Structures are given as structure tokens and as C-alpha cells.
Amino acid sequence: MSIVDLQIRHDFGRFALDVKASSAGPVLGIFGPSGSGKSTILNAISGFVHPQHAHISIMTRTVCRTPGGTVVPPHRREVGYVTQDALLFPHLSVRGNLAFSPRCLGLDSLGGKRVLDVLRLAPLLERRVQELSGGEKQRVALGRALLSQPQLLLLDEPMSALDSRLAREVLALLMEVKRTLQVPMLLVSHQESEMAALADDCILLENGRIAAQGPPLQILARPGRLGGLDNILRLEVARHEPERGITWLVLPGQQQLAMPLSTAAAGQTVSVGVHADEIILCRQRPEGLSARNVVRCLVDGLGAAGTDSLVRLKLGELRLLAHVTHAAVEELGLQPEGEVFAIIKSNSVIRLAV
Amino acid sequence: MTPAELEIVWLTLRVGALSVALSLVPGVLLGWLLARWNSPLRALVQGVIMLPLVLPPVVTGYLLLKVFGVRGPVGSAYDVLFGGRIAFTTAACVIAASVVGFPLMVESIRLSILGVDRRLEQVSRTLGRGRLGTFARVTLPLALPGIVGGSVLSFARSLGEFGATIILAGDIEGETRTIPIAVYSALNAVDGEAAALRLVLVSVVISLLSLLAAFAFMRRQRTQVA
């Protein structure tokens, strides 16, 4: 069953939106640069924008058919809406926010307790929303949306206002929500890592049109797409070091890669991502470094990426892209087949769901 | 203060309170409309509401007399239906005070509703609250300080209302003789200055306290979004 069916045509004058898509989810990602029409699609689904020509169904129920058909008002569409600003009601407590919806599951009901559990909201209930940290606010916003029993949860850049540590925490929560509560979601994001970690199906939106649809790894790895999660690797788990919070992955050439402690069993193969921006290159093996990973590689090729350089590294069969400045390439004297050390913080190695 | 002067003060406070009570519901509705309604007509509506703020109060009073006077449309209809008149009664004082204080109230409410983040209203809609439920549970509580502040401000304005009142309500002891009108007649009377001074003092104190209260409420408007 499709979680959402979209047919939207709307002419804004300077920009026209024309999309037709359907997805079985359970998590559909919409990926694209700002101004590509992502927010308009969300507003059309939630009912705050009525496109000139539209046929929108949520879980096969038609909520908008224009011109001339039914247009269900936003409060009857049963969508949850979480944006980058938590948008908590400032005059209500955490409990008041969570219980705001007339469709709200009782906080003491079985389902309500599960939501509170997964999002660790119980200790926050009596707090004022002004006293919450950014991550806590986002947890409350997520809980408020989930407790209203949405047919579809709309996530509009839910992590982009948080610093990277909190963003990772919220991402982990969303993955947990997906796993345990099984709510269909529509995630709008411009972060490849979030998309690859959460979405099962992905739409690439460009200038108001759908450029591609498919599994995120396939869509995000399209040639010419750069600047995000450029390295997606499938590696075997070697061992865990719980006391140091590290999981070691097997790399070719008897090397290992450290990542934050994972639940995957030793011997299991996992997908991880590394941003090309977060790889530092070094000619000699550095000493006394806080970063866990110093990986010996060979330069496989050099390319230009706008004003910067892209260095392709090889370790056996593996390829890694590193994004550095032209100046760095010259100063390091990088040559194909030359030896180089890639420095990667363990926290920069992101576990992906797929 | 003499018992007569106390009665004047009491009448003035009553007129002010009644005028706020009369204006409050239309004031909130119009403030909301002006804050949230996108139409070319909005400027016109806003202009008409603001008019009493800039018109000479005597002109406002004259126009009101044309409407509420015995030969005016409302005044004559009232006579037919209930028998009696509106002009030159306490009701006329209340009407004059309401009309003159209304722009201050509406503007203050409009600004406070503008200060409510629309996205909070949208979140409320997606959570299942309709337009009215959202207004009652989100917009109204968040705009409340501005609504109370605007009410107190229009109350303060009504305390000083003279021009429109003297035309529409005249100077009838115990019925329409509010503080400003009493001060005016006292100053015209022989030996009235002492009485006028006492009323002036009371007027200054009540007005100042009302203004301070209005500002205190308006400052409490919560503009930040969590």
C-alpha cells in the first residue's frame, strides 16, 4: 500500500512545481536543494497550500483534489508535522503540549506510554518548555506529533537547527521510532546522511520536478552529486569496545576503522557513511592525535570540485573520496599512487540503516 | 471630596468599564481580522476604525448624534422598540467612550495577534484543532497580554473623554456628568476651582495607574517561540 500519492501542478510565476509520485515507504525521503519545492509539497500535503491542480492521497485516502474536488482541511488530515523549529506552545507545559491534540493517545494508555518511552519524555512532563534544551524540545515536538496518532508523519528538516551531536541523537531517535512504532514518514532533508539512514525510498527534487526516485543509496550516489555523504561503505564488524564506546570495523590491508559503539553483532556487515569534508589528509603518519582513525591509503586520482579538489583514495578494493582545497593538494604534493594517511574521527563514521 | 464628587468618580469608572465590556468582543474580532486577513479592503477597514483617533472628538460626537439621536436611524428605532432615548443618557456616555477608545484597543490587539507565530497556529491545525479551537487555545492565550493591555488603554482613554460625550450625552448630573465634564462645568462656575482641582487630581491618578497597568500587560506579551 502506498503511504502517499502525489500529483501536484502549481505555477508560482517564477517557478512551477510539477510532480507525480507514489511511494510505499514506509519512510519516503524528499531530497533536493533549497528552492526545489520541498516545502511546498509538505504544505500541500498538510493542507496549508492548495495547488492549482492536485490529487493527493495519504494512506490511500484522498485529502485534496483540485480544481473542484474535495479539499480536506488541515485539522482532519491526520498528519503529524515536525519542523526544524520545535514550535512548542510557549503557554503550555510539556504535558500540555503533548496532550494538545483532541486525537491524543492518553499519556497513561499503553500506546501513549510507548511513545513517552521511546522518546524518553517521562522525566520532562512537568517542565516548562522554556527550560528545555534544543534536543529535548525536538523530542517533545516529535512526541506531540506521534501522540496525535498521525497516518503520516511529516518531517521538515527536523535536524537542521541542531548541532551535529544533537542532530545525530535525534536521527537515532527517529530510527528507533521507525523501528518500534512503525509510523509512515515523509522526510524532507538536504542531508544525505539523514536520508540514507532513515528513508527506504527517495525522491530527488530539482527545480520543482522529480529528477529521480529509488532507494536512497542509488539516488544519492548519482554522478555529479557532491558535498554530502560521499562515502558509503559496507564493512564487517570486527569487535566492540563498550568501555571506550567504540566499535571496530574491518578495513582491507589489516587496518580497522573505529565508529561510535554500534548494536550490530561482530561478523555482521553494516553500512556506514563518511563525509568527504570530514577526511583530513596527511603525508606522514601523525602521532598524538585525538582522532581514532589514521588509515593508510594510496592516491587513486585527483579531480576538481568547484574551487576545491577531490582526492580519490584506495585501500584494496575500497574507494574513499576526500574533499580538500587546491592549495592542500599542492602543498602535500599529492601524486597518483602516492602514499597518504586519511584521518577520520570515529564520530564522523555514521551508521546507516540500509 | 463631597458625596456628589464621589458619585462623579464612580460614574466615570462605570462608564469606562462598560465601554470596555462593549468593545471587547468586536475589538478582538476586528484585531484578529486586521492581523490575519489579506485583502485590499483591510486598509479601508483599518482607516475607518482609526478615524475617531484623528477626528476632532466634537465631530465624532456630532456624527454619533446623527446616528443615535432621537431623529437618527438607531435612536428612532430604539424609541419605537423600547420607548425612550439613547442620547443624553449614561448609555450615550458609554457609546461615546467606546467609539473613541476603540482604535486604541483594536490596534493593541492587532499588534499582539501579529506577534503570535502563525506556524504555531498551523501546528495546532495539524494536531486536529479547527480554526476556532486553534484561535481559542493558541492565538487567544498568546495574545492575551495585548488584549488586556489594549482594554486598559481604552479604559484610560474613556476616563478623559469630553468632546464626543458633551455633544452626545450632554451634562446631566448623576447620569452623564463624568469627571471631564464636571471639571469643565466647575471651572465655569463661580468658586468652582477647588472642586475642579480635586477631580483633576483624581483623574490624573486613575489615568496614570491605568496607563502603567496597560504597559505592564503589554510587556508580558510572549513573542519568543519555543
Side-chain angles (χ1 to χ4, degrees), chain B residues 1-2 4-10 12 177-184 186 192-206:
Chain B
M1 286 225 287
T2 66
E5 285 162 17
L6 278 177
E7 200 191 314
I8 289 167
V9 173
W10 174 232
T12 310
R177 186 177 287 176
T178 54
I179 293 178
I181 289 170
V183 169
Y184 181 74
E193 197 161 345
L197 210 60
R198 285 194 293 274
L199 288 172
V200 165
L201 211 66
V202 171
S203 176
V204 168
V205 169
I206 298 176

Side-chain angles (χ1 to χ4, degrees), chain A residues 43 46 48 73-75 79 81 85-91 100-103 128-130 137 144-145 148, chain B residues 117 119-131 133-134 136-139 141-142 222 224-226:
Chain A
N43 279 325
S46 51
F48 298 111
H75 60 283
V79 294
Y81 195 38
D85 298 316
L87 296 176
L88 302 181
F89 301 117
H91 58 302
F100 183 86
S101 168
R103 294 192 296 261
R128 284 159 45 87
V129 296
Q130 286 81 0
K137 281 179 185 169
R144 180 176 63 178
S148 77
Chain B
D117 194 322
R119 295 174 305 164
L120 290 176
E121 298 173 337
Q122 292 191 340
V123 168
S124 161
R125 297 295 303 279
T126 62
L127 288 170
R129 298 281 176 197
R131 261 179 218 283
T134 294
R137 281 162 196 275
V138 178
T139 319
L142 288 175
R222 273 181 273 214
Q224 91 278 20
V225 169

